[in-house]
Amino acid sequence: VERIDILPAAERGYLLEELNRTEAAYPSERCIHELFEAQVRRTPEAVALVHENERLSYGELNARANRLA
């Protein structure tokens, strides 16, 4: 299946390379949990996670993480 070319080369390149160029600078002196909590403070109601039919905002996800911790 890996060798079957379903998509034209240009479209395959676009999907696999162009759309995946998501590299972004971030403050590497901060831990990931600090960056997440900063995002919670900025946008607590924004959707942070979608799984099947469930959506969690940053605030809800942070509350769940804090309960787990």
Side-chain angles (χ1 to χ4, degrees):
V1 171
E2 179 182 313
R3 288 178 247 145
I4 298 173
D5 289 328
I6 297 172
L7 299 173
E11 186 173 357
R12 180 178 171 82
Y14 173 72
L15 291 172
L16 296 178
E17 296 172 20
E18 296 297 322
L19 292 181
N20 281 311
R21 288 198 178 132
T22 58
E23 183 178 319
Y26 70 94
S28 60
E29 69 279 354
R30 295 175 65 195
C31 295
I32 189 68
H33 73 280
E34 294 172 318
L35 295 171
F36 180 79
E37 289 174 352
Q39 183 66 37
V40 172
R41 286 189 296 276
R42 282 192 302 274
T43 59
E45 299 301 319
V47 175
L49 179 103
V50 176
H51 176 69
E52 294 179 350
N53 294 327
E54 184 176 15
R55 293 175 173 268
L56 291 178
S57 70
Y58 280 98
E60 292 166 329
L61 185 57
N62 191 49
R64 287 190 185 193
N66 288 339
R67 281 195 305 271
L68 182 61

